[in-house]
Short mmCIF file of all heavy atoms in Angstrom, two decimals:
data_model
loop_
_atom_site.label_atom_id
_atom_site.label_comp_id
_atom_site.label_asym_id
_atom_site.label_seq_id
_atom_site.Cartn_x
_atom_site.Cartn_y
_atom_site.Cartn_z
N GLY A 1 -9.32 -57.90 220.46
CA GLY A 1 -7.99 -57.34 220.69
C GLY A 1 -7.27 -57.88 221.85
O GLY A 1 -6.12 -58.15 221.89
N VAL A 2 -8.04 -57.95 223.00
CA VAL A 2 -7.44 -58.44 224.28
C VAL A 2 -7.06 -59.95 224.10
O VAL A 2 -5.95 -60.28 224.50
CB VAL A 2 -8.47 -58.30 225.44
CG1 VAL A 2 -8.02 -59.02 226.63
CG2 VAL A 2 -8.58 -56.77 225.72
N ASP A 3 -7.80 -60.68 223.42
CA ASP A 3 -7.54 -62.13 223.21
C ASP A 3 -6.27 -62.22 222.36
O ASP A 3 -5.40 -63.04 222.63
CB ASP A 3 -8.73 -62.85 222.57
CG ASP A 3 -9.85 -63.05 223.51
OD1 ASP A 3 -9.68 -63.00 224.69
OD2 ASP A 3 -11.00 -63.20 222.93
N TYR A 4 -6.19 -61.37 221.32
CA TYR A 4 -5.00 -61.39 220.43
C TYR A 4 -3.78 -60.98 221.22
O TYR A 4 -2.69 -61.59 221.01
CB TYR A 4 -5.26 -60.46 219.28
CG TYR A 4 -4.13 -60.56 218.25
CD1 TYR A 4 -3.97 -61.68 217.42
CD2 TYR A 4 -3.24 -59.48 218.11
CE1 TYR A 4 -2.91 -61.72 216.56
CE2 TYR A 4 -2.24 -59.52 217.21
CZ TYR A 4 -2.05 -60.67 216.48
OH TYR A 4 -1.03 -60.70 215.51
N ALA A 5 -3.91 -59.91 222.07
CA ALA A 5 -2.77 -59.49 222.85
C ALA A 5 -2.21 -60.63 223.74
O ALA A 5 -1.04 -60.80 223.73
CB ALA A 5 -3.16 -58.27 223.70
N ARG A 6 -3.08 -61.33 224.34
CA ARG A 6 -2.71 -62.49 225.24
C ARG A 6 -2.02 -63.54 224.34
O ARG A 6 -1.03 -64.12 224.81
CB ARG A 6 -3.89 -63.03 225.99
CG ARG A 6 -4.35 -62.15 227.07
CD ARG A 6 -5.53 -62.74 227.83
NE ARG A 6 -5.97 -61.86 228.81
CZ ARG A 6 -7.28 -61.60 229.11
NH1 ARG A 6 -8.22 -62.17 228.33
NH2 ARG A 6 -7.56 -60.83 230.06
N LEU A 7 -2.51 -63.80 223.20
CA LEU A 7 -2.01 -64.81 222.28
C LEU A 7 -0.52 -64.38 221.93
O LEU A 7 0.37 -65.19 221.79
CB LEU A 7 -2.88 -64.96 221.05
CG LEU A 7 -2.39 -66.00 220.02
CD1 LEU A 7 -2.47 -67.37 220.61
CD2 LEU A 7 -3.28 -65.92 218.81
N MET A 8 -0.27 -63.09 221.80
CA MET A 8 1.02 -62.55 221.47
C MET A 8 1.96 -62.39 222.67
O MET A 8 3.04 -61.79 222.57
CB MET A 8 0.85 -61.17 220.71
CG MET A 8 0.16 -61.31 219.34
SD MET A 8 1.24 -62.11 218.14
CE MET A 8 0.46 -63.73 218.14
N GLY A 9 1.47 -62.88 223.80
CA GLY A 9 2.37 -62.85 224.99
C GLY A 9 2.28 -61.67 225.91
O GLY A 9 3.02 -61.48 226.78
N TRP A 10 1.28 -60.77 225.63
CA TRP A 10 1.07 -59.55 226.50
C TRP A 10 0.24 -59.88 227.77
O TRP A 10 -0.64 -60.74 227.67
CB TRP A 10 0.38 -58.51 225.77
CG TRP A 10 1.06 -57.89 224.61
CD1 TRP A 10 0.99 -58.24 223.27
CD2 TRP A 10 2.00 -56.75 224.66
NE1 TRP A 10 1.86 -57.46 222.53
CE2 TRP A 10 2.44 -56.54 223.42
CE3 TRP A 10 2.44 -55.99 225.70
CZ2 TRP A 10 3.36 -55.49 223.08
CZ3 TRP A 10 3.36 -55.00 225.45
CH2 TRP A 10 3.82 -54.78 224.08
N LEU A 11 0.63 -59.42 228.87
CA LEU A 11 -0.30 -59.34 230.07
C LEU A 11 -1.17 -58.14 229.80
O LEU A 11 -0.72 -57.12 229.35
CB LEU A 11 0.57 -59.14 231.38
CG LEU A 11 1.50 -60.36 231.73
CD1 LEU A 11 2.28 -59.99 232.96
CD2 LEU A 11 0.76 -61.58 231.93
N VAL A 12 -2.43 -58.29 230.12
CA VAL A 12 -3.44 -57.28 229.86
C VAL A 12 -4.29 -57.05 231.18
O VAL A 12 -4.67 -57.95 231.83
CB VAL A 12 -4.37 -57.72 228.75
CG1 VAL A 12 -5.33 -56.59 228.43
CG2 VAL A 12 -3.56 -58.12 227.49
N PHE A 13 -4.45 -55.76 231.46
CA PHE A 13 -5.42 -55.34 232.47
C PHE A 13 -6.46 -54.52 231.89
O PHE A 13 -6.17 -53.57 231.08
CB PHE A 13 -4.63 -54.53 233.53
CG PHE A 13 -5.58 -53.92 234.56
CD1 PHE A 13 -6.09 -54.67 235.61
CD2 PHE A 13 -6.06 -52.58 234.43
CE1 PHE A 13 -6.91 -54.09 236.50
CE2 PHE A 13 -6.93 -52.05 235.29
CZ PHE A 13 -7.42 -52.85 236.38
N HIS A 14 -7.72 -54.88 232.17
CA HIS A 14 -8.88 -54.08 231.69
C HIS A 14 -9.94 -54.03 232.86
O HIS A 14 -10.46 -55.09 233.21
CB HIS A 14 -9.45 -54.77 230.47
CG HIS A 14 -10.63 -54.00 229.93
ND1 HIS A 14 -11.62 -54.64 229.10
CD2 HIS A 14 -10.99 -52.73 229.97
CE1 HIS A 14 -12.54 -53.72 228.67
NE2 HIS A 14 -12.16 -52.55 229.24
N ALA A 15 -10.18 -52.88 233.37
CA ALA A 15 -11.19 -52.65 234.40
C ALA A 15 -12.52 -52.57 233.62
O ALA A 15 -12.76 -51.61 232.85
CB ALA A 15 -10.87 -51.45 235.23
N ARG A 16 -13.46 -53.50 233.88
CA ARG A 16 -14.76 -53.47 233.16
C ARG A 16 -15.80 -52.92 234.08
O ARG A 16 -15.81 -53.14 235.28
CB ARG A 16 -15.02 -54.93 232.83
CG ARG A 16 -13.98 -55.58 231.89
CD ARG A 16 -14.46 -56.91 231.51
NE ARG A 16 -15.75 -56.90 230.81
CZ ARG A 16 -15.99 -57.32 229.66
NH1 ARG A 16 -14.98 -57.86 228.99
NH2 ARG A 16 -17.18 -57.27 229.15
N PRO A 17 -16.67 -52.11 233.51
CA PRO A 17 -17.76 -51.53 234.25
C PRO A 17 -18.81 -52.60 234.72
O PRO A 17 -18.87 -53.56 234.06
CB PRO A 17 -18.35 -50.54 233.27
CG PRO A 17 -17.97 -50.98 231.85
CD PRO A 17 -16.68 -51.68 232.07
N VAL A 18 -19.49 -52.26 235.75
CA VAL A 18 -20.54 -53.10 236.21
C VAL A 18 -21.85 -52.32 236.35
O VAL A 18 -21.91 -51.10 236.49
CB VAL A 18 -20.13 -53.73 237.57
CG1 VAL A 18 -18.98 -54.63 237.52
CG2 VAL A 18 -19.91 -52.59 238.65
N ARG A 19 -22.92 -53.05 236.21
CA ARG A 19 -24.23 -52.48 236.37
C ARG A 19 -24.69 -52.59 237.88
O ARG A 19 -24.64 -53.61 238.42
CB ARG A 19 -25.32 -53.12 235.45
CG ARG A 19 -26.53 -52.33 235.49
CD ARG A 19 -27.63 -52.87 234.47
NE ARG A 19 -27.27 -54.01 233.77
CZ ARG A 19 -27.83 -54.45 232.57
NH1 ARG A 19 -28.80 -53.74 232.07
NH2 ARG A 19 -27.40 -55.48 231.95
N VAL A 20 -25.06 -51.39 238.35
CA VAL A 20 -25.47 -51.37 239.76
C VAL A 20 -26.92 -50.99 239.91
O VAL A 20 -27.43 -50.13 239.09
CB VAL A 20 -24.63 -50.29 240.52
CG1 VAL A 20 -25.05 -50.17 241.95
CG2 VAL A 20 -23.13 -50.67 240.43
N ARG A 21 -27.67 -51.56 240.77
CA ARG A 21 -29.06 -51.25 240.96
C ARG A 21 -29.24 -50.58 242.23
O ARG A 21 -28.87 -51.12 243.34
CB ARG A 21 -29.93 -52.50 240.86
CG ARG A 21 -31.41 -52.15 241.06
CD ARG A 21 -32.25 -53.38 240.86
NE ARG A 21 -32.02 -53.87 239.51
CZ ARG A 21 -32.37 -55.09 239.06
NH1 ARG A 21 -32.91 -55.98 239.92
NH2 ARG A 21 -32.14 -55.53 237.84
N ARG A 22 -29.80 -49.41 242.27
CA ARG A 22 -30.12 -48.65 243.50
C ARG A 22 -31.35 -49.33 244.11
O ARG A 22 -32.15 -50.07 243.56
CB ARG A 22 -30.37 -47.19 243.18
CG ARG A 22 -29.15 -46.50 242.70
CD ARG A 22 -29.31 -45.04 242.61
NE ARG A 22 -28.04 -44.38 242.42
CZ ARG A 22 -27.83 -43.39 241.59
NH1 ARG A 22 -28.87 -42.83 241.00
NH2 ARG A 22 -26.66 -42.91 241.42
N ALA A 23 -31.53 -48.91 245.41
CA ALA A 23 -32.75 -49.42 246.11
C ALA A 23 -34.00 -49.03 245.42
O ALA A 23 -35.08 -49.76 245.51
CB ALA A 23 -32.74 -48.89 247.54
N SER A 24 -34.07 -47.86 244.72
CA SER A 24 -35.17 -47.41 243.98
C SER A 24 -35.51 -48.31 242.74
O SER A 24 -36.55 -48.21 242.12
CB SER A 24 -34.95 -46.00 243.58
OG SER A 24 -33.90 -45.96 242.58
N GLY A 25 -34.52 -49.16 242.36
CA GLY A 25 -34.65 -49.98 241.20
C GLY A 25 -33.93 -49.36 239.99
O GLY A 25 -33.75 -50.05 239.04
N ALA A 26 -33.58 -48.17 240.08
CA ALA A 26 -32.81 -47.48 238.98
C ALA A 26 -31.50 -48.18 238.80
O ALA A 26 -30.75 -48.61 239.82
CB ALA A 26 -32.61 -46.06 239.20
N GLU A 27 -31.05 -48.44 237.56
CA GLU A 27 -29.66 -49.02 237.30
C GLU A 27 -28.84 -48.03 236.55
O GLU A 27 -29.26 -47.22 235.86
CB GLU A 27 -29.95 -50.26 236.42
CG GLU A 27 -30.63 -51.42 237.11
CD GLU A 27 -30.78 -52.63 236.18
OE1 GLU A 27 -30.49 -52.52 235.01
OE2 GLU A 27 -31.11 -53.71 236.72
N TYR A 28 -27.50 -48.20 236.86
CA TYR A 28 -26.53 -47.39 236.18
C TYR A 28 -25.23 -48.17 236.12
O TYR A 28 -25.05 -49.21 236.79
CB TYR A 28 -26.30 -46.07 236.95
CG TYR A 28 -25.70 -46.18 238.33
CD1 TYR A 28 -24.37 -46.00 238.54
CD2 TYR A 28 -26.61 -46.50 239.38
CE1 TYR A 28 -23.83 -46.17 239.73
CE2 TYR A 28 -26.07 -46.65 240.64
CZ TYR A 28 -24.69 -46.51 240.90
OH TYR A 28 -24.15 -46.66 242.12
N TRP A 29 -24.36 -47.71 235.18
CA TRP A 29 -23.06 -48.38 234.99
C TRP A 29 -22.03 -47.52 235.64
O TRP A 29 -21.98 -46.38 235.66
CB TRP A 29 -22.74 -48.44 233.48
CG TRP A 29 -23.53 -49.44 232.73
CD1 TRP A 29 -24.75 -49.21 232.11
CD2 TRP A 29 -23.22 -50.81 232.57
NE1 TRP A 29 -25.17 -50.34 231.52
CE2 TRP A 29 -24.31 -51.32 231.82
CE3 TRP A 29 -22.29 -51.64 233.04
CZ2 TRP A 29 -24.33 -52.78 231.46
CZ3 TRP A 29 -22.30 -53.01 232.70
CH2 TRP A 29 -23.28 -53.53 231.91
N THR A 30 -21.07 -48.26 236.33
CA THR A 30 -19.92 -47.58 236.98
C THR A 30 -18.75 -48.59 236.93
O THR A 30 -18.89 -49.74 236.71
CB THR A 30 -20.34 -47.17 238.48
OG1 THR A 30 -19.24 -46.45 239.02
CG2 THR A 30 -20.51 -48.45 239.29
N THR A 31 -17.52 -47.99 237.13
CA THR A 31 -16.35 -48.77 237.22
C THR A 31 -15.72 -48.52 238.57
O THR A 31 -15.24 -47.42 238.82
CB THR A 31 -15.31 -48.45 236.09
OG1 THR A 31 -15.94 -48.62 234.81
CG2 THR A 31 -14.02 -49.32 236.19
N PRO A 32 -15.95 -49.44 239.53
CA PRO A 32 -15.48 -49.14 240.86
C PRO A 32 -13.91 -49.01 240.81
O PRO A 32 -13.18 -49.77 240.11
CB PRO A 32 -15.77 -50.50 241.63
CG PRO A 32 -16.85 -51.13 240.83
CD PRO A 32 -16.59 -50.70 239.40
N MET A 33 -13.40 -48.03 241.52
CA MET A 33 -11.94 -47.73 241.49
C MET A 33 -11.59 -46.89 242.67
O MET A 33 -12.41 -46.23 243.25
CB MET A 33 -11.56 -47.13 240.12
CG MET A 33 -12.23 -45.85 239.70
SD MET A 33 -11.73 -44.31 240.44
CE MET A 33 -10.11 -44.06 239.74
N THR A 34 -10.37 -46.82 242.97
CA THR A 34 -9.76 -45.87 243.95
C THR A 34 -8.63 -45.27 243.13
O THR A 34 -7.92 -45.81 242.49
CB THR A 34 -9.12 -46.67 245.09
OG1 THR A 34 -10.22 -47.41 245.72
CG2 THR A 34 -8.54 -45.75 246.16
N GLY A 35 -8.57 -43.96 243.33
CA GLY A 35 -7.52 -43.22 242.67
C GLY A 35 -8.01 -42.06 241.86
O GLY A 35 -9.18 -41.74 241.94
N SER A 36 -7.25 -41.53 240.91
CA SER A 36 -7.67 -40.48 240.12
C SER A 36 -8.48 -41.01 238.89
O SER A 36 -8.07 -41.94 238.31
CB SER A 36 -6.37 -39.79 239.58
OG SER A 36 -5.54 -39.31 240.62
N PRO A 37 -9.62 -40.35 238.66
CA PRO A 37 -10.49 -40.78 237.54
C PRO A 37 -9.77 -40.51 236.21
O PRO A 37 -8.76 -39.74 236.08
CB PRO A 37 -11.66 -39.91 237.63
CG PRO A 37 -11.26 -38.70 238.48
CD PRO A 37 -10.14 -39.14 239.35
N GLY A 38 -10.23 -41.24 235.18
CA GLY A 38 -9.74 -41.11 233.84
C GLY A 38 -8.55 -42.08 233.52
O GLY A 38 -8.02 -41.92 232.33
N PHE A 39 -8.27 -43.04 234.34
CA PHE A 39 -7.23 -43.94 234.02
C PHE A 39 -7.46 -44.72 232.77
O PHE A 39 -8.73 -45.08 232.50
CB PHE A 39 -6.99 -44.97 235.17
CG PHE A 39 -5.87 -45.82 235.08
CD1 PHE A 39 -4.58 -45.36 235.41
CD2 PHE A 39 -5.95 -47.09 234.58
CE1 PHE A 39 -3.46 -46.16 235.27
CE2 PHE A 39 -4.81 -47.91 234.43
CZ PHE A 39 -3.57 -47.50 234.84
N PRO A 40 -6.51 -44.98 231.95
CA PRO A 40 -6.78 -45.66 230.62
C PRO A 40 -7.52 -47.01 230.73
O PRO A 40 -7.37 -47.68 231.80
CB PRO A 40 -5.37 -45.82 230.05
CG PRO A 40 -4.56 -44.70 230.63
CD PRO A 40 -5.13 -44.61 232.06
N ASP A 41 -8.20 -47.40 229.73
CA ASP A 41 -9.03 -48.59 229.82
C ASP A 41 -8.18 -49.85 229.82
O ASP A 41 -8.62 -50.85 230.47
CB ASP A 41 -9.91 -48.63 228.52
CG ASP A 41 -10.95 -47.54 228.44
OD1 ASP A 41 -11.51 -47.32 229.49
OD2 ASP A 41 -11.15 -46.97 227.40
N LEU A 42 -7.09 -49.85 229.13
CA LEU A 42 -6.27 -51.05 229.04
C LEU A 42 -4.84 -50.78 229.31
O LEU A 42 -4.37 -49.71 228.97
CB LEU A 42 -6.34 -51.66 227.52
CG LEU A 42 -7.68 -52.13 227.06
CD1 LEU A 42 -7.63 -52.30 225.58
CD2 LEU A 42 -8.00 -53.51 227.73
N VAL A 43 -4.16 -51.79 229.95
CA VAL A 43 -2.78 -51.74 230.22
C VAL A 43 -2.15 -52.95 229.65
O VAL A 43 -2.65 -54.08 229.95
CB VAL A 43 -2.42 -51.62 231.74
CG1 VAL A 43 -0.88 -51.53 231.97
CG2 VAL A 43 -3.08 -50.43 232.37
N PHE A 44 -1.09 -52.89 228.89
CA PHE A 44 -0.39 -53.97 228.32
C PHE A 44 1.06 -54.05 228.78
O PHE A 44 1.69 -53.01 228.89
CB PHE A 44 -0.32 -53.82 226.78
CG PHE A 44 -1.67 -53.80 226.08
CD1 PHE A 44 -2.41 -52.64 225.93
CD2 PHE A 44 -2.23 -54.99 225.67
CE1 PHE A 44 -3.59 -52.61 225.31
CE2 PHE A 44 -3.54 -55.00 225.06
CZ PHE A 44 -4.15 -53.78 224.88
N ALA A 45 1.59 -55.26 229.07
CA ALA A 45 2.96 -55.36 229.56
C ALA A 45 3.58 -56.68 228.90
O ALA A 45 2.98 -57.72 228.90
CB ALA A 45 3.10 -55.45 230.97
N ARG A 46 4.73 -56.52 228.35
CA ARG A 46 5.44 -57.67 227.77
C ARG A 46 6.99 -57.35 227.64
O ARG A 46 7.33 -56.30 227.04
CB ARG A 46 4.94 -57.97 226.37
CG ARG A 46 5.57 -59.18 225.70
CD ARG A 46 4.96 -59.51 224.36
NE ARG A 46 5.42 -58.50 223.39
CZ ARG A 46 5.09 -58.55 222.01
NH1 ARG A 46 4.27 -59.53 221.66
NH2 ARG A 46 5.50 -57.62 221.26
N LYS A 47 7.82 -58.21 228.17
CA LYS A 47 9.25 -58.02 228.05
C LYS A 47 9.80 -56.64 228.31
O LYS A 47 10.57 -56.09 227.58
CB LYS A 47 9.69 -58.47 226.64
CG LYS A 47 9.34 -59.94 226.28
CD LYS A 47 9.67 -60.24 224.84
CE LYS A 47 9.28 -61.70 224.54
NZ LYS A 47 9.62 -62.05 223.18
#
């Protein structure tokens, strides 16, 4: 969908999660951000 949106001329923003490893070796997924949690996954802008 993101590739198609770009093909159709949309600018696209998508914050992707990253896997983080703690010193203990445990891993978890997080999306680093500043601001209010719950922001939508994708933002599209065109014209």
Side-chain angles (χ1 to χ4, degrees):
V2 169
D3 292 336
Y4 184 71
R6 287 185 182 131
L7 182 66
M8 294 291 101
W10 293 92
L11 294 177
V12 183
F13 172 81
H14 182 203
R16 297 182 59 122
V18 296
R19 189 175 1 202
V20 177
R21 181 174 299 163
R22 294 194 170 137
S24 66
E27 293 184 349
Y28 63 98
W29 288 93
T30 187
T31 304
M33 54 83 67
T34 301
S36 302
F39 189 79
D41 295 316
L42 294 164
V43 181
F44 298 88
R46 181 179 75 178
K47 298 179 183 176

